Amino acid sequence: MDANLDRKTALKDVLPTAFGYVGIGLAFGIVGKASGLSVLELGLMSLIAYGGSAQFIMVSMMLAHSPILSIVLAAFLVNARMILMSFTTAPYFKADSLLKNIFVGSLLTDESFALAMNKLNVTKGQLSFAWFDTINWFAYFTWFFATIAGALLGNFITNPAKLGVDFALVAMFIGLLYLQLISDKSLAFNLQLSVIVLTLGLVFVGMIFIPTKFLVLVVTLITCLLGMVIKYVYF
């Protein structure tokens, strides 16, 4: 990775991340097809919703016949971290138009955000719209085509659970959690670990008393509150 911020350099920088998009995209296509969705429906979901992990949750909740409002809320909460990421990247595009900022924020992904944060280390704190825009559009279309390929492949895989494909979402979250622990130096490691243990404990207890469709929402709100208390009292 060098200090250039043009589109050609962006393609070179983003290429290694393609494997992540392809792997999860294929898994989503296969799982979605096995869930009864058509190739067209899955493709449109990846183009319109473009939510990554949220799309897995949307499919599972659709299968469970959850209310539309619950599906929308769950998708929002799962991808709410993108709001914070957008706030972090926004200052680097103050000189660009509102439309360009909307494009950057709307197509932002975990991978493109991480790539941008690494890029800052070699550009002396500079980012360009051309570079970031190329990164985002590459991710967008790679995810779309991987979804289509997975959906077509799903015609030959009637039970993805036998291959462990349905574990892709869990594996992705484990990976994201690990990256968060090792990369975020703004929070103490013991604090992050404490909140993770607290979350697991609340989920375990919550499964006994709280309906499944509300479990994630309730545990998220409680953990956020307790996490703030732990941070300011003990750290």
Side-chain angles (χ1 to χ4, degrees):
M1 184 176 288
D2 56 43
N4 292 322
L5 288 167
D6 53 37
R7 293 187 182 275
K8 183 178 179 180
T9 303
L11 287 174
K12 182 178 65 175
D13 291 340
V14 74
L15 195 58
T17 68
F19 298 103
Y21 295 118
V22 171
I24 303 299
L26 285 172
F28 171 68
I30 293 172
V31 171
K33 192 67 174 64
S35 300
L37 296 179
S38 67
V39 176
L40 177 61
E41 289 170 332
L42 292 168
L44 287 175
M45 184 182 288
S46 286
L47 284 177
I48 299 172
Y50 189 48
S53 54
Q55 290 180 222
F56 281 89
I57 292 175
M58 289 167 65
V59 169
S60 63
M61 292 183 73
M62 288 167 65
L63 281 177
H65 303 290
S66 299
I68 293 296
L69 184 60
S70 297
I71 297 175
V72 172
L73 182 59
F76 171 78
L77 290 175
V78 168
N79 274 4
R81 66 187 185 281
M82 297 301 173
I83 298 175
L84 299 177
M85 292 182 185
S86 295
F87 280 144
T88 302
T89 57
Y92 300 102
F93 303 99
K94 287 182 178 179
D96 294 297
S97 67
L98 175 62
L99 182 61
K100 288 184 176 181
N101 275 269
I102 290 174
F103 271 122
V104 170
S106 299
L107 297 178
L108 187 67
T109 68
D110 294 297
E111 291 82 358
S112 64
F113 176 80
L115 200 61
M117 295 301 102
N118 287 330
K119 189 71 172 181
L120 290 172
N121 296 325
V122 297
T123 61
K124 297 180 180 180
Q126 298 295 319
L127 292 175
S128 74
F129 173 76
W131 183 87
F132 216 142
D133 187 53
T134 303
I135 296 290
N136 282 340
W137 281 110
F138 177 91
Y140 182 69
F141 285 112
T142 301
W143 174 258
F144 168 70
F145 287 117
T147 297
I148 296 297
L152 293 173
L153 187 60
N155 289 320
F156 308 99
I157 303 176
T158 56
N159 188 2
K162 289 185 177 180
L163 301 177
V165 175
D166 56 335
F167 187 71
L169 177 62
V170 178
M172 184 175 69
F173 273 117
I174 292 174
L176 290 173
L177 180 61
Y178 172 74
L179 290 175
Q180 176 71 18
L181 280 172
I182 65 173
S183 62
D184 190 350
K185 304 301 181 183
S186 63
L187 296 174
F189 178 83
N190 288 338
L191 170 60
Q192 296 185 68
L193 195 60
S194 298
V195 173
I196 292 172
V197 173
L198 175 63
T199 302
L200 293 175
L202 287 175
V203 169
F204 179 78
V205 174
M207 291 176 67
I208 303 173
F209 303 103
I210 304 174
T212 304
K213 58 184 178 182
F214 297 119
L215 180 61
V216 173
L217 175 60
V218 173
V219 170
T220 299
L221 294 175
I222 294 175
T223 304
C224 287
L225 177 61
L226 294 179
M228 288 191 295
V229 173
I230 294 173
K231 176 183 178 181
Y232 290 107
V233 173
Y234 298 101
F235 293 90

